Amino acid sequence: MEKLIITAAICGAEVTKEQNPAVPYTVEEIVREAKSAYDAGAAVVHVHVREDDGTPTQSRERFRVCLDAIRKACPDVILIPSTGGAVGMTAEERLQPTELFPEMATLDCGTCNFGDEVFENTMPMMRAFGKRMIENNIKPEYECFEMGHLDTVVRMASKGEVPGAPMQFNFVLGVPGCTPATVENLVWLVNKIPAGSTWTATGIGRHAFTLAAPTIVMGGHVRVGFEDNLYISKGVLAKSNGELVEKVVRLAKELGREVATPAEARKILGLKPLA
Ligand code: KMH
Ligand code: ZN
């Protein structure tokens, strides 16, 4: 079986230090959390950025500073900046990190409920995001929160509206209001991806590790991190993103799956090797 790519979603836009004091806001804290995940075995870091007070931002300059600082600490890591940002941000605001020409970025595949709010990703917005990623040669990670998101983005790829094969999907399951994090739903989604695609699964909250285990067995890749889950076990806050990644590494070891280095992950994802 292909080696396992572990992604760490270190920060997100919604979680706060009140919920877990280790949630990073400042550049230094973001680098600390990225490094802890990288040292534990994450080949990929999914990046959101915050103002020092924790306010989510999509500022190009804040992204530039954070991405550069993470690269300095974790030289070969694959960075996937968010174009999802936080609920309520405009498309223009959200697209700012694509102006930095990252090798990858997220592309969210449809409007959905997000707890009590609505995360807006209309077809025209998605076309604009797809066009930008084609123009700037960015490989999207297609974030699917709902079953229909997968069909939508595969259809868009067939029309050339978003980058096509090989596609990388992230099935984010268990967001309140969206598709639940069950093995049945995961299998349904994985059976529908185009041949030659790669996929990652993200279980939200208490589903982080219960979805990671079947994903490891099924040959998918795993995302964990404070964006998705703040606990290492029931009622026990994780001390760092590294601790969450370490748990996935342990699961992989027990289940006989090797963990990919960033260079191996680049190959699996069809990215260019680093010069
Ligand atoms: N913060 C969520 C509303 C992404 O990074 O592309 C959206 C999100 C998805 O986190
Ligand atoms: Zn995100």
Side-chain angles (χ1 to χ4, degrees), residues 13-14 46 48 82-87 106 108 114 119 143 145 227:
E14 289 81 22
H46 168 54
H48 286 252
S82 172
T83 68
V87 168
T106 60
D108 296 284
F114 211 87
F119 181 34
E143 311 296 310
F145 299 87
E227 175 164 349

Side-chain angles (χ1 to χ4, degrees), residues 22-255:
V23 169
Y25 296 163
T26 67
V27 178
E28 292 69 25
E29 289 167 350
I30 282 177
V31 173
R32 179 199 73 212
E33 286 306 307
K35 176 106 170 77
S36 80
Y38 171 82
D39 287 345
V44 179
V45 174
H46 168 54
V47 186
H48 286 252
V49 296
R50 308 285 190 97
E51 305 290 356
D52 285 351
D53 67 1
T55 309
T57 174
Q58 287 290 105
S59 153
R60 183 181 62 181
E61 284 321 301
R62 188 67 165 187
F63 263 105
R64 187 198 302 281
V65 170
C66 287
L67 296 178
D68 285 352
I70 295 173
R71 278 191 202 104
K72 219 167 161 188
C74 322
D76 55 349
V77 74
I78 299 167
L79 296 176
I80 307 188
S82 172
T83 68
V87 168
M89 289 178 172
T90 64
E92 214 172 298
E93 210 176 346
R94 284 167 50 181
L95 274 168
Q96 290 178 77
T98 64
E99 294 166 16
L100 301 170
F101 299 89
E103 56 190 327
M104 291 186 75
T106 60
L107 196 159
D108 296 284
C109 298
T111 296
C112 53
N113 287 316
F114 211 87
D116 289 352
E117 301 182 285
V118 174
F119 181 34
E120 197 184 19
N121 295 286
T122 62
M123 293 300 293
M125 284 170 77
M126 289 167 63
R127 283 189 199 105
F129 282 51
K131 183 167 180 284
R132 173 67 61 83
M133 294 200 198
I134 290 167
E135 283 167 0
N136 288 12
N137 199 23
I138 298 166
K139 181 181 171 92
E141 177 174 80
Y142 292 109
E143 311 296 310
C144 298
F145 299 87
E146 288 279 28
M147 306 301 238
H149 290 181
L150 175 57
D151 283 324
T152 302
V153 77
V154 169
R155 203 173 336 110
M156 290 180 78
S158 73
K159 292 185 193 162
E161 293 177 328
V162 297
M167 298 172 84
Q168 156 64 12
F169 300 94
N170 178 22
F171 302 124
V172 185
L173 302 184
V175 171
C178 296
T179 298
T182 64
V183 174
E184 189 185 12
N185 289 339
L186 184 63
V187 170
W188 188 92
L189 286 159
V190 172
N191 282 338
K192 277 186 164 292
I193 60 175
S197 305
T198 50
W199 63 277
T200 297
T202 301
I204 299 298
R206 67 196 163 86
H207 303 290
F209 300 106
T210 58
L211 205 65
T215 298
I216 293 167
V217 176
M218 288 165 66
H221 304 287
V222 170
R223 180 175 113 174
V224 288
F226 287 156
E227 175 164 349
D228 309 315
N229 162 51
L230 298 163
Y231 294 88
I232 190 68
S233 57
K234 193 169 181 198
V236 182
L237 288 172
K239 292 188 186 69
S240 67
N241 277 276
E243 198 183 6
L244 297 169
V245 172
E246 275 165 18
K247 185 159 171 171
V248 178
V249 171
R250 280 202 302 279
L251 284 174
K253 204 167 175 187
E254 289 295 333
L255 295 168

